[in-house]
Amino acid sequence: ELYARDPRNIVRVVLNRTAGDGAYDEAGATFRGWVAAGLLAPDDEPALYLVEQAFEVEGRPHERYGLLARFRVEDDARGRVLPHEHTRQAAKEDRYKLLKATRANFSPIFLMFSDRQGSFQKQAEATARTPPDFQYTDDGGVVHRVWRIRDGAAVSALQSAIGSEKAYIADGHHRWATAQRYHREVGPEAAWTLGYFTPMEAPGLVVLPYHRLLDRGPSIEEAGRALRAHFDLSDVKGAAAAAKKAAQSKAAYAFGLVDPSGAGLVAQARAGAGALLPADAPPSLRALDTFFLHQAVLSRLLNVPEDAVRYAHSMREVEEELKAGKCKLAVIMRPTPVAQIVDVADARASMPAKSTFFHPKLPSDLVVHPLHG
């Protein structure tokens, strides 16, 4: 659909449809053609870009501010840019080939930093009271407003506000690994990459859960019998009710299970359920619902193999899968708190796949960061 909308849509670069490795050559040629035609032009002076995203979650309005800026690429050993997820080789290879063909960043690495004094948030809100340089509303109803900041004093103030000793990768782990590899191979040209920086304390930083869809496994009744020894179980009707009750739970671990008929239950772990986890699991991982689910529940109690697990980030997708009978059970998860993400990153550990969904996603091509010229 995006291909058909406009021949200048960035999807023709970042997700080119040409078969095989020719896609990367075509992406590079397309990007260079747009630059040559003047469709993309460099700023005439250094600038930072403030981005506001206004959106709703379950009917409640939110606003998230972040800053688009380039930052230095460095090895993880420096401990200043901290990831929290495993990366997949196929995805890294795809991003590497695109970077090599275009020599530019189109999608920023999403980073969180500490803004305990609120200085960044105050500056962002003050800027947002002025007219933006441009704005638009995307297909999901998210309103994006962007300000180009060129005033030297304002730039310095924002740089100081995000000058934290550490930044935590929220999203973009494959892009970060790709930037590191390209820097090692190319050298100074690749010393910088594109980032989006937002405060971890901001109320607009919304983390949603990834739910699990089980293609094989027990029935809802069999699952209840398998879980009864370690969990308090409550019957619910439907995925929405399971999500609401699980979110309200104060238990160390809680999740819902729902089958295509709508029959469901919410499991809240009793004290001592953590003993089901491997003894050598680090504390930062032991605290996670997703780690507990995969290490203790799916593999040990329900005998569900990893290749039977799919993922859905929205309740609508879960409900559609259940209604169509495309899964045996849906596992309804709670969101992962930001503090747990930080703990995992500080411990240099890695969460299970699809543990976090930062909403809304960042669009590609709000700004382009060329690695040359």
Side-chain angles (χ1 to χ4, degrees):
E1 181 187 355
L2 294 177
Y3 251 81
R5 282 190 191 181
D6 196 303
R8 299 159 297 182
N9 194 296
I10 194 63
V11 73
R12 293 173 179 266
V13 173
V14 298
L15 291 172
N16 192 277
R17 286 180 172 177
T18 304
D21 282 354
Y24 306 106
D25 296 333
E26 179 67 22
T30 298
F31 171 58
R32 289 187 292 274
W34 289 349
V35 173
L39 297 175
L40 294 170
D43 284 340
D44 54 8
E45 58 184 311
L48 300 175
Y49 288 82
L50 180 70
V51 180
E52 177 198 52
Q53 291 173 292
F55 56 99
E56 290 188 356
V57 176
E58 297 180 351
R60 295 173 55 191
H62 296 270
E63 293 175 343
R64 186 177 73 201
Y65 295 101
L67 195 70
L68 287 170
R70 71 175 193 166
F71 68 103
R72 285 192 179 276
V73 179
E74 58 185 40
D75 291 334
D76 289 339
R78 294 288 299 275
R80 296 193 299 184
V81 178
L82 298 175
H84 70 264
E85 281 187 359
H86 285 295
T87 53
R88 293 175 291 109
Q89 186 58 39
K92 288 189 290 187
E93 192 65 20
D94 170 64
R95 295 300 89 187
Y96 173 77
K97 289 179 178 179
L98 179 65
L99 180 59
K100 191 173 181 180
T102 60
R103 296 168 64 200
N105 304 131
F106 303 95
S107 301
I109 297 164
F110 187 152
L111 300 134
M112 305 180 293
F113 67 96
S114 180
D115 184 39
R116 292 188 184 91
Q117 304 304 315
S119 58
F120 175 87
Q121 191 73 11
K122 291 174 184 175
Q123 291 178 66
E125 290 172 353
T127 300
R129 289 193 285 270
T130 66
D133 286 272
F134 63 91
Q135 71 178 65
Y136 71 97
T137 302
D138 67 22
D139 292 347
V142 179
V143 179
H144 304 256
R145 299 200 299 162
V146 181
W147 292 262
R148 182 189 289 114
I149 300 172
R150 290 171 286 192
D151 175 74
V155 167
S156 295
L158 286 167
Q159 287 174 325
S160 296
I162 64 173
S164 174
E165 292 183 0
K166 292 187 287 189
Y168 298 86
I169 298 178
D171 195 14
H173 288 80
H174 294 95
R175 291 189 288 276
W176 176 238
T178 298
Q180 291 174 312
R181 174 184 173 185
Y182 196 63
H183 182 219
R184 288 193 297 269
E185 295 182 2
V186 174
E189 176 188 296
W192 300 82
T193 192
L194 181 62
Y196 166 89
F197 296 82
T198 195
M200 65 177 67
E201 299 89 355
L205 183 62
V206 174
V207 186
L208 301 178
Y210 267 107
H211 307 294
R212 273 60 177 158
L213 304 171
L214 308 184
D215 291 331
R216 304 190 302 279
S219 66
I220 192 75
E221 295 81 12
E222 291 168 337
R225 289 193 291 270
L227 297 173
R228 191 172 295 133
H230 304 282
F231 294 84
D232 293 323
L233 304 179
S234 304
D235 292 332
V236 294
K237 185 66 176 177
K244 182 177 181 179
K245 189 168 184 63
Q248 293 171 343
S249 174
K250 302 300 183 183
Y253 311 108
F255 56 89
L257 292 175
V258 183
D259 74 7
S261 76
L265 59 84
V266 171
Q268 301 182 69
R270 298 194 191 109
L276 294 168
L277 291 170
D280 60 351
S284 62
L285 292 181
R286 297 178 75 89
L288 302 176
D289 276 357
T290 52
F291 186 77
F292 184 80
L293 178 78
H294 285 266
Q295 293 290 320
V297 177
L298 296 183
S299 61
R300 185 167 178 177
L301 299 179
L302 302 185
N303 296 313
V304 176
E306 284 295 323
D307 65 1
V309 182
R310 294 182 290 117
Y311 303 92
H313 76 261
S314 71
M315 287 302 298
R316 183 177 67 179
E317 186 178 354
V318 169
E319 290 169 342
E320 288 174 352
E321 289 273 336
L322 288 169
K323 184 177 180 180
K326 293 182 178 179
C327 62
K328 186 79 176 285
L329 286 175
V331 185
I332 309 302
M333 304 298 295
R334 298 186 294 187
T336 302
V338 169
Q340 289 186 355
I341 300 169
V342 170
D343 287 345
V344 170
D346 280 336
R348 308 299 196 271
S350 295
M351 291 182 173
K354 305 296 184 183
S355 289
T356 59
F357 183 84
F358 286 84
H359 178 78
K361 291 287 190 180
L362 295 171
S364 296
D365 201 33
L366 277 181
V367 300
V368 176
H369 173 235
L371 302 185
H372 57 88

